[in-house]
Amino acid sequence: MVVPPTLQPPFLLPPTARLRHDPGGMIPAKADLRRALRGRRRDFAALLDREGRLREAADALAAQALPHIRDARVIAGYWPIGSEADPRPLLHALHDRGRAVALPRVTTPESPMTFHRWRPGDTLVAGGHGLLQPADGAPALLPDLIVTPLVGFDRRLMRMGQGAGYYDRLFARFPDIRRIGLAWSAQEVEEVPADPWDMPLHAIATEREWIEPETA
Ligand SMILES: Nc1nc2c(c(=O)[nH]1)N(C=O)[C@@H](CNc1ccc(C(=O)N[C@@H](CCC(=O)O)C(=O)O)cc1)CN2
Ligand SMILES: Nc1ncnc2c1ncn2[C@@H]1O[C@H](COP(=O)(O)OP(=O)(O)OP(=O)(O)O)[C@@H](O)[C@H]1O
């Protein structure tokens, strides 16, 4: 029997968290907000692009994040798709400083995301959703810091991603690994609707600032 994806068990959740907690009838809110925020991110990146400032913004993002994450030894980043905050200058800077850098690889929706070594110039392989991922031969690495792309975030350091659950499941499995979000400043909202399984980030970098609990 083929089980529809929505009925597959969320394996890592405690039984009480399996039913969506939705006291105020908020379930559509998350999907609506995700759509709105993707639109806002696209508009913001398009504006930067029109002004010829995308590279400058990516450099500013790297400058905000680098001082706070350069102590990590193995950093998991991501290869940007669409209008995501561009972490590439940051990944190059980390590599230049002798850090190991890894990129995510996903296969099926159920399989956990894995991380594989990336070095400048490595060939990446097309995955679904426009993703470029490390090739089969790239060695798997266990990061001590994860840099995650965001669709939206708030000052409590709660995040919203693609909604596929890859990062949620990863964070539940490795709660001790530092979780740093990257976003364009335009992706901030007053409050991301949080589900029981959502784990806050330790910090967020935008092209404008570094946001930590003390400064939030
Ligand atoms: N750059 C990047 N790499 C990543 C992720 C990500 O969000 N960004 N992932 C995070 O999980 C994993 C891949 N999973 C993904 C799951 C769903 C969609 C997705 O639904 N994409 C939309 C396009 C969204 C947009 O235009 O912004 C789609 O295909 O319709 C993308 C990636 C690992 N690698
Ligand atoms: N710890 C977990 N174990 C198993 N499934 C999980 C876990 N956490 C979340 N999920 C599932 O992942 C799906 C995506 O959740 P959510 O809408 O919160 O995504 P998100 O906040 O955009 O994050 P992501 O970047 O991980 O996609 C939900 O269907 C949820 O049931």
mmCIF file of all heavy atoms in Angstrom, residues 7 38 48 51 54 63 65 84 89 99-100 102-103 106 123 144 151 160 165 172 180 191 201 212:
data_model
loop_
_atom_site.group_PDB
_atom_site.id
_atom_site.type_symbol
_atom_site.label_atom_id
_atom_site.label_comp_id
_atom_site.label_asym_id
_atom_site.label_seq_id
_atom_site.Cartn_x
_atom_site.Cartn_y
_atom_site.Cartn_z
ATOM 1 N N LEU A 7 0.511 11.130 5.699
ATOM 2 C CA LEU A 7 0.179 10.151 6.742
ATOM 3 C C LEU A 7 1.408 9.405 7.245
ATOM 4 O O LEU A 7 1.301 8.553 8.104
ATOM 5 C CB LEU A 7 -0.849 9.142 6.208
ATOM 6 C CG LEU A 7 -2.198 9.743 5.825
ATOM 7 C CD1 LEU A 7 -3.143 8.662 5.339
ATOM 8 C CD2 LEU A 7 -2.811 10.482 7.005
ATOM 9 N N ARG A 38 8.065 34.068 0.684
ATOM 10 C CA ARG A 38 8.824 33.738 -0.533
ATOM 11 C C ARG A 38 8.709 34.884 -1.530
ATOM 12 O O ARG A 38 9.671 35.247 -2.198
ATOM 13 C CB ARG A 38 8.306 32.448 -1.167
ATOM 14 C CG ARG A 38 8.870 31.205 -0.506
ATOM 15 C CD ARG A 38 8.336 29.974 -1.200
ATOM 16 N NE ARG A 38 8.939 28.754 -0.674
ATOM 17 C CZ ARG A 38 8.357 27.587 -0.685
ATOM 18 N NH1 ARG A 38 7.139 27.447 -1.188
ATOM 19 N NH2 ARG A 38 8.972 26.524 -0.198
ATOM 20 N N LEU A 48 17.643 44.234 -5.196
ATOM 21 C CA LEU A 48 19.110 44.273 -5.071
ATOM 22 C C LEU A 48 19.766 44.041 -6.430
ATOM 23 O O LEU A 48 20.736 44.715 -6.789
ATOM 24 C CB LEU A 48 19.596 43.192 -4.093
ATOM 25 C CG LEU A 48 19.370 43.398 -2.603
ATOM 26 C CD1 LEU A 48 19.819 42.160 -1.834
ATOM 27 C CD2 LEU A 48 20.114 44.625 -2.091
ATOM 28 N N GLU A 51 19.567 46.981 -8.695
ATOM 29 C CA GLU A 51 20.495 48.027 -8.266
ATOM 30 C C GLU A 51 21.950 47.580 -8.384
ATOM 31 O O GLU A 51 22.858 48.311 -8.001
ATOM 32 C CB GLU A 51 20.192 48.414 -6.811
ATOM 33 C CG GLU A 51 18.839 49.100 -6.647
ATOM 34 C CD GLU A 51 18.519 49.380 -5.175
ATOM 35 O OE1 GLU A 51 19.214 48.835 -4.297
ATOM 36 O OE2 GLU A 51 17.561 50.131 -4.925
ATOM 37 N N LEU A 54 23.565 42.813 -5.430
ATOM 38 C CA LEU A 54 23.417 41.462 -4.860
ATOM 39 C C LEU A 54 24.727 40.972 -4.258
ATOM 40 O O LEU A 54 24.752 40.406 -3.159
ATOM 41 C CB LEU A 54 22.948 40.484 -5.942
ATOM 42 C CG LEU A 54 21.474 40.088 -5.930
ATOM 43 C CD1 LEU A 54 21.174 39.139 -7.069
ATOM 44 C CD2 LEU A 54 21.056 39.468 -4.589
ATOM 45 N N ALA A 63 30.286 39.265 6.131
ATOM 46 C CA ALA A 63 30.981 40.088 7.129
ATOM 47 C C ALA A 63 30.251 40.042 8.472
ATOM 48 O O ALA A 63 30.879 40.044 9.535
ATOM 49 C CB ALA A 63 31.085 41.529 6.628
ATOM 50 N N ALA A 65 28.410 37.489 9.583
ATOM 51 C CA ALA A 65 28.423 36.139 10.174
ATOM 52 C C ALA A 65 29.819 35.650 10.549
ATOM 53 O O ALA A 65 29.987 34.986 11.577
ATOM 54 C CB ALA A 65 27.775 35.152 9.193
ATOM 55 N N GLU A 84 17.265 33.013 -2.275
ATOM 56 C CA GLU A 84 17.798 32.803 -0.923
ATOM 57 C C GLU A 84 19.007 33.698 -0.650
ATOM 58 O O GLU A 84 19.788 33.998 -1.557
ATOM 59 C CB GLU A 84 18.250 31.340 -0.758
ATOM 60 C CG GLU A 84 17.103 30.361 -0.609
ATOM 61 C CD GLU A 84 17.573 28.929 -0.479
ATOM 62 O OE1 GLU A 84 18.677 28.593 -0.965
ATOM 63 O OE2 GLU A 84 16.830 28.122 0.080
ATOM 64 N N PRO A 89 30.004 33.859 -0.492
ATOM 65 C CA PRO A 89 31.211 34.551 0.015
ATOM 66 C C PRO A 89 31.611 34.060 1.414
ATOM 67 O O PRO A 89 32.803 33.948 1.715
ATOM 68 C CB PRO A 89 30.793 36.025 0.045
ATOM 69 C CG PRO A 89 29.694 36.137 -0.979
ATOM 70 C CD PRO A 89 28.957 34.809 -0.895
ATOM 71 N N ARG A 99 38.824 26.072 7.291
ATOM 72 C CA ARG A 99 37.709 25.306 7.845
ATOM 73 C C ARG A 99 37.222 24.295 6.806
ATOM 74 O O ARG A 99 37.299 24.551 5.599
ATOM 75 C CB ARG A 99 36.543 26.215 8.236
ATOM 76 C CG ARG A 99 36.913 27.323 9.194
ATOM 77 C CD ARG A 99 37.468 26.764 10.500
ATOM 78 N NE ARG A 99 37.755 27.835 11.432
ATOM 79 C CZ ARG A 99 38.933 28.441 11.541
ATOM 80 N NH1 ARG A 99 39.950 28.084 10.773
ATOM 81 N NH2 ARG A 99 39.102 29.399 12.424
ATOM 82 N N ALA A 100 36.663 23.190 7.300
ATOM 83 C CA ALA A 100 36.009 22.237 6.391
ATOM 84 C C ALA A 100 34.583 22.745 6.142
ATOM 85 O O ALA A 100 33.882 23.123 7.092
ATOM 86 C CB ALA A 100 35.986 20.854 7.015
ATOM 87 N N ALA A 102 30.840 21.948 4.239
ATOM 88 C CA ALA A 102 30.023 20.874 3.673
ATOM 89 C C ALA A 102 28.725 21.457 3.130
ATOM 90 O O ALA A 102 28.264 22.512 3.575
ATOM 91 C CB ALA A 102 29.726 19.824 4.738
ATOM 92 N N LEU A 103 28.153 20.759 2.160
ATOM 93 C CA LEU A 103 26.852 21.151 1.601
ATOM 94 C C LEU A 103 25.873 19.995 1.753
ATOM 95 O O LEU A 103 26.275 18.820 1.782
ATOM 96 C CB LEU A 103 26.994 21.492 0.113
ATOM 97 C CG LEU A 103 27.816 22.732 -0.235
ATOM 98 C CD1 LEU A 103 27.940 22.869 -1.750
ATOM 99 C CD2 LEU A 103 27.206 23.993 0.375
ATOM 100 N N VAL A 106 20.050 15.853 -0.394
ATOM 101 C CA VAL A 106 18.796 15.166 -0.087
ATOM 102 C C VAL A 106 18.484 14.232 -1.244
ATOM 103 O O VAL A 106 18.839 14.492 -2.397
ATOM 104 C CB VAL A 106 17.628 16.153 0.153
ATOM 105 C CG1 VAL A 106 17.897 17.051 1.342
ATOM 106 C CG2 VAL A 106 17.330 16.998 -1.081
ATOM 107 N N THR A 123 32.564 20.216 -8.599
ATOM 108 C CA THR A 123 31.379 20.098 -9.452
ATOM 109 C C THR A 123 30.184 19.693 -8.595
ATOM 110 O O THR A 123 30.271 18.769 -7.788
ATOM 111 C CB THR A 123 31.621 19.017 -10.528
ATOM 112 O OG1 THR A 123 32.775 19.407 -11.269
ATOM 113 C CG2 THR A 123 30.434 18.882 -11.469
ATOM 114 N N ASP A 144 29.980 20.764 13.020
ATOM 115 C CA ASP A 144 29.743 21.246 14.388
ATOM 116 C C ASP A 144 28.971 22.560 14.366
ATOM 117 O O ASP A 144 28.636 23.105 15.416
ATOM 118 C CB ASP A 144 31.024 21.316 15.227
ATOM 119 C CG ASP A 144 32.135 22.104 14.565
ATOM 120 O OD1 ASP A 144 31.829 23.083 13.888
ATOM 121 O OD2 ASP A 144 33.301 21.724 14.739
ATOM 122 N N VAL A 151 13.199 30.952 5.051
ATOM 123 C CA VAL A 151 12.144 31.638 4.304
ATOM 124 C C VAL A 151 11.695 32.850 5.129
ATOM 125 O O VAL A 151 11.468 33.930 4.607
ATOM 126 C CB VAL A 151 10.978 30.681 3.992
ATOM 127 C CG1 VAL A 151 9.790 31.435 3.396
ATOM 128 C CG2 VAL A 151 11.438 29.594 3.018
ATOM 129 N N MET A 160 11.280 29.757 9.720
ATOM 130 C CA MET A 160 10.425 29.037 8.788
ATOM 131 C C MET A 160 11.287 28.676 7.587
ATOM 132 O O MET A 160 12.038 29.518 7.081
ATOM 133 C CB MET A 160 9.275 29.942 8.371
ATOM 134 C CG MET A 160 8.323 29.273 7.421
ATOM 135 S SD MET A 160 6.954 30.362 6.995
ATOM 136 C CE MET A 160 5.876 30.041 8.359
ATOM 137 N N GLY A 165 10.647 19.811 6.117
ATOM 138 C CA GLY A 165 11.031 19.199 7.390
ATOM 139 C C GLY A 165 12.461 18.688 7.464
ATOM 140 O O GLY A 165 12.854 18.127 8.489
ATOM 141 N N ALA A 172 16.355 18.056 15.386
ATOM 142 C CA ALA A 172 15.861 17.158 16.445
ATOM 143 C C ALA A 172 16.869 16.035 16.685
ATOM 144 O O ALA A 172 17.069 15.593 17.822
ATOM 145 C CB ALA A 172 14.506 16.583 16.040
ATOM 146 N N ILE A 180 22.667 28.219 12.944
ATOM 147 C CA ILE A 180 22.745 29.628 12.560
ATOM 148 C C ILE A 180 21.927 29.836 11.280
ATOM 149 O O ILE A 180 22.136 29.143 10.288
ATOM 150 C CB ILE A 180 24.221 30.037 12.286
ATOM 151 C CG1 ILE A 180 25.129 29.683 13.486
ATOM 152 C CG2 ILE A 180 24.310 31.520 11.928
ATOM 153 C CD1 ILE A 180 24.773 30.343 14.791
ATOM 154 N N GLU A 191 6.213 37.612 14.200
ATOM 155 C CA GLU A 191 6.180 36.320 14.880
ATOM 156 C C GLU A 191 5.911 35.188 13.889
ATOM 157 O O GLU A 191 4.863 35.153 13.252
ATOM 158 C CB GLU A 191 5.089 36.349 15.956
ATOM 159 C CG GLU A 191 5.237 35.228 16.954
ATOM 160 C CD GLU A 191 4.265 35.374 18.126
ATOM 161 O OE1 GLU A 191 4.134 36.490 18.668
ATOM 162 O OE2 GLU A 191 3.633 34.363 18.466
ATOM 163 N N LEU A 201 16.758 28.972 16.547
ATOM 164 C CA LEU A 201 18.151 29.059 16.126
ATOM 165 C C LEU A 201 18.974 29.657 17.260
ATOM 166 O O LEU A 201 18.434 30.264 18.192
ATOM 167 C CB LEU A 201 18.241 29.944 14.880
ATOM 168 C CG LEU A 201 17.487 29.384 13.663
ATOM 169 C CD1 LEU A 201 17.259 30.466 12.623
ATOM 170 C CD2 LEU A 201 18.243 28.200 13.069
ATOM 171 N N GLU A 212 21.283 37.812 18.063
ATOM 172 C CA GLU A 212 21.455 36.770 19.087
ATOM 173 C C GLU A 212 20.410 37.008 20.154
ATOM 174 O O GLU A 212 19.864 38.104 20.233
ATOM 175 C CB GLU A 212 22.837 36.918 19.726
ATOM 176 C CG GLU A 212 23.932 36.287 18.928
ATOM 177 C CD GLU A 212 25.260 36.351 19.649
ATOM 178 O OE1 GLU A 212 25.431 37.240 20.508
ATOM 179 O OE2 GLU A 212 26.115 35.514 19.363
#
